[in-house]
Amino acid sequence: MRRFQSHYIPRTRNGRLAVASFVFLFTFTQPPLVFWIGNRVEPWIGGVPFLYAYLLAFYWLLIGVLLWARKHRL
């Protein structure tokens, strides 16, 4: 009987790195970290409040991790 490996568990070192970095960055977009670090209106960055710039930066990093994982076919 052949056992199939789960598709949810990364098999390579780069796959584990991609998952770990995605989860690590994603925690900065969720409470309580976003309330402790990014929940402020002042200073304004690029014409938007700090909270929006903070979230935008982390979402761009998350998209970058996903694109990197896709490029390496993980």
Side-chain angles (χ1 to χ4, degrees):
M1 181 116 193
R2 183 174 174 186
R3 295 200 57 188
F4 294 100
Q5 290 183 337
S6 173
H7 292 287
Y8 296 112
I9 300 172
R11 298 181 193 130
T12 63
R13 182 183 63 84
N14 284 339
R16 288 188 296 271
L17 178 66
V19 169
S21 61
F22 188 85
V23 169
F24 177 74
L25 290 172
F26 193 71
T27 58
F28 284 95
T29 64
Q30 301 300 312
L33 288 180
V34 76
F35 294 144
W36 292 339
I37 299 169
N39 193 17
R40 47 182 87 120
V41 177
E42 300 289 334
W44 283 61
I45 300 173
V48 296
F50 179 78
L51 176 63
Y52 294 148
Y54 169 84
L55 289 174
L56 181 66
F58 275 102
Y59 287 142
W60 276 109
L61 289 172
L62 289 169
I63 291 170
V65 169
L66 292 176
L67 292 175
W68 177 81
R70 182 170 186 250
K71 178 183 172 190
H72 292 281
R73 304 182 93 186
L74 300 176

